[in-house]
Amino acid sequence: MTKKQRSKLLNSPFVRDYGMIFMLLMLVILFSLLTVKLQHPTGASAGNQVANTILAKHGNEAHVLVVTRSTKEDRAFAQAAVKRLESSGADVLGQVNGSAADARKAIESILSEGKTFDAIAANNVTAMWTVYDRFPSVGSKKCVTPKPYTWPNFLKVSNLMGVANQTAIYAIIAIGMTMVIITAGIDLSVGSLVALASVSSAIFVRDYCGGTEASLFMVLAGILLGIGVCAAAGAFNGFMVTAFQIPPFIVTLGMMMMASGLSFRLAEGRSIPELPSTFFWLGRGVTLGVPNPVFLMIVLYLIANFVMSRMVFGRYIYSIGGNEEAARLSGVPVKRVLLAVYTICGALAGLGGIMLTSQLSAGDPKFGLMYELEVIAAVVVGGTSLMGGQGKIFGTLIGAFIIAVIKNGMNLTDVDPFNQKIVLGAVLTAAVLIDRLKRHA
């Protein structure tokens, strides 16, 4: 590749706007290589595998004891193994879903009846129990376990879904923050607004809607109240910025302290757990096989990207960030747009607070602590310039996942928490430095 071709590639719109996706891919590869471990299958597929192994070795007349713990995955393992064995005519003498003591009682009961068994269907944990060797006619040699395989802990489906689920709230709030920063503003209040939405909605449901007995309609009313309160706080920020020309940093810093204080005052410093089960669907439910927070994040990013790339409102936001005075002289309703942007940012912070309340089953004034820094980091790492006028919605999503992948990868590789802060701070600083260099290139 010639120098001219390299320069053209590096300055292409895709690389300029979404170049951080390559960094995300490199991080995924790095942490995948660092977390390669021996994996032991679990769940229904593992149960079927063990049953097939037993049937292949002992035939359809095998006598089997199934031993697992009481976890959800182990129960699925046991049910699948029992179903497969019985459908083939094998004799399942017993099924243990508990501790080693429960396994001992089951074995004693079977032996006291004069029965013997050919195999014990177990997983990698229950096969290591020493209880089997206490019986000379049994022994751990009769345990049949799923065949292990090598795979990165990072790439396990459960881990990836966990990363996406944990990132969703930050990423949703970051949509509003992206719009604010593109206008050359900042909003430091989003973390406190998360707590305010959580507390206000929880108090409303508890005190005015029947608490744990609240109907779905009243739960929706409480959710809308929490989002509405934060939207009003965002509108206040926008009003102070546009009407009195107060720097966004100062206005939102003041709102951060007021919203936090109000949250603690309303909740009296305590969490509010008196919420109905319907409240928890938003944060814990599943839609089309995808966790609701992730599903909602995807929908909101598609909408936000359409607004910012295809609608006049989005072009107004970019023009204000590029040159506010020029935008005003060109007929852009600067004050109304800024008011709308800060209101949207506040509303999305409120939605984040509702989702966090739903996930953790309680309202709490301590929610949202330091969220503003996480959100700003995601926006900046995603390529949005703090100087305004530049940035992409999907870039922010990439930035949010970069932060999440770094944190998750460091946890999986046992990096010290203090060192994790150093790394994340260095990543943020590097992102700002890259932005500055791009502007002066």
Side-chain angles (χ1 to χ4, degrees):
M1 183 180 291
T2 65
K3 183 177 180 181
K4 184 178 181 180
Q5 289 174 326
R6 286 197 301 270
S7 177
K8 184 178 180 180
L9 175 63
L10 293 174
N11 290 299
S12 66
F14 180 83
V15 173
R16 184 177 65 249
D17 295 331
Y18 301 111
M20 297 305 288
I21 197 171
F22 298 111
M23 179 179 177
L24 178 59
L25 292 174
M26 292 301 295
L27 287 170
V28 169
I29 293 171
L30 172 64
F31 288 122
S32 296
L33 294 174
L34 291 176
T35 59
V36 172
K37 302 288 183 183
L38 190 66
Q39 307 292 339
H40 297 277
T42 59
S45 61
N48 282 319
Q49 181 190 137
V50 167
N52 289 331
T53 302
I54 292 173
L55 292 170
K57 184 176 181 180
H58 300 284
N60 295 339
E61 297 181 357
H63 302 284
V64 184
L65 173 65
V66 180
V67 181
T68 63
R69 297 166 298 172
S70 59
T71 64
K72 181 179 179 181
E73 288 188 336
D74 277 17
R75 287 186 178 277
F77 172 100
Q79 290 171 2
V82 170
K83 183 178 179 180
R84 178 72 181 92
L85 290 166
E86 290 182 340
S87 67
S88 298
D91 183 15
V92 178
L93 299 175
Q95 179 180 336
V96 177
N97 295 116
S99 63
D102 297 319
R104 177 180 56 78
K105 292 177 183 178
I107 294 172
E108 289 176 345
S109 176
I110 293 171
L111 294 179
S112 67
E113 297 175 1
K115 299 178 180 178
T116 60
F117 42 85
D118 301 304
I120 300 173
N123 57 30
N124 67 300
V125 176
T126 57
M128 295 176 65
W129 291 346
T130 59
V131 63
Y132 315 112
D133 293 323
R134 297 180 184 180
F135 303 92
S137 61
V138 182
S140 58
K141 62 182 179 297
K142 289 193 175 182
C143 289
V144 179
T145 60
K147 185 178 180 180
Y149 61 95
T150 302
W151 188 256
N153 282 336
F154 179 81
L155 290 182
K156 292 170 69 174
V157 174
S158 58
N159 183 65
L160 294 177
M161 290 304 294
V163 170
N165 210 21
Q166 294 166 12
T167 307
I169 294 177
Y170 293 109
I172 287 173
I173 301 172
I175 293 173
M177 185 67 77
T178 302
M179 294 180 176
V180 169
I181 291 179
I182 288 175
T183 65
I186 197 76
D187 191 343
L188 300 178
S189 67
V190 291
S192 296
L193 293 183
V194 166
L196 183 60
S198 174
V199 167
S200 58
S201 61
I203 289 176
F204 179 77
V205 171
R206 181 193 66 185
D207 295 347
Y208 301 102
C209 304
T212 56
E213 303 300 323
S215 66
L216 176 60
F217 176 79
M218 297 310 295
V219 167
L220 290 175
I223 289 173
L224 292 175
L225 173 70
I227 296 174
V229 167
C230 292
F236 176 81
N237 289 338
F239 175 75
M240 297 300 289
V241 169
T242 57
F244 299 101
Q245 303 299 308
I246 302 176
F249 181 91
I250 300 300
V251 172
T252 58
L253 180 63
M255 178 58 69
M256 179 181 73
M257 292 186 285
M258 289 189 290
S260 179
L262 182 58
S263 299
F264 278 95
R265 173 61 62 189
L266 290 173
E268 298 179 345
R270 299 191 296 268
S271 64
I272 306 165
E274 299 88 355
L275 298 173
S277 58
T278 50
F279 201 107
F280 309 142
W281 179 82
L282 182 63
R284 298 184 185 177
V286 175
T287 300
L288 301 176
V290 179
N292 283 341
V294 179
F295 184 83
L296 184 58
M297 175 187 71
I298 294 171
V299 171
L300 289 176
Y301 266 87
L302 290 173
I303 294 172
N305 181 69
F306 179 80
V307 169
M308 293 297 288
S309 62
R310 301 293 182 182
M311 295 184 66
V312 173
F313 180 71
R315 292 198 291 272
Y316 283 170
I317 292 175
Y318 281 108
S319 63
I320 291 171
N323 190 317
E324 182 176 328
E325 182 61 20
R328 186 185 65 80
L329 294 174
S330 300
V332 175
V334 174
K335 291 185 177 181
R336 292 204 302 271
V337 171
L338 287 175
L339 186 63
V341 165
Y342 281 93
T343 302
I344 291 170
C345 189
L348 290 174
L351 177 59
I354 297 297
M355 292 172 62
L356 191 60
T357 303
S358 179
Q359 286 183 340
L360 301 181
S361 308
D364 198 304
K366 296 184 290 295
F367 285 169
L369 184 65
M370 303 297 286
Y371 269 40
E372 59 277 356
L373 300 186
E374 295 271 2
V375 170
I376 292 171
V379 175
V380 174
V381 170
T384 298
S385 173
L386 287 171
M387 301 297 105
Q390 294 181 6
K392 295 291 181 180
I393 290 294
F394 283 137
T396 293
L397 182 60
I398 294 168
F401 274 103
I402 286 175
I403 299 296
V405 165
I406 291 174
K407 291 169 65 176
N408 179 257
M410 289 192 294
N411 286 332
L412 292 176
T413 51
D414 297 321
V415 175
D416 185 272
F418 303 117
N419 291 333
Q420 290 188 24
K421 290 185 177 181
I422 295 172
V423 172
L424 290 172
V427 170
L428 178 59
T429 303
V432 176
L433 176 61
I434 291 171
D435 174 59
R436 297 291 295 178
L437 294 175
K438 283 165 58 179
R439 282 180 167 268
H440 290 86

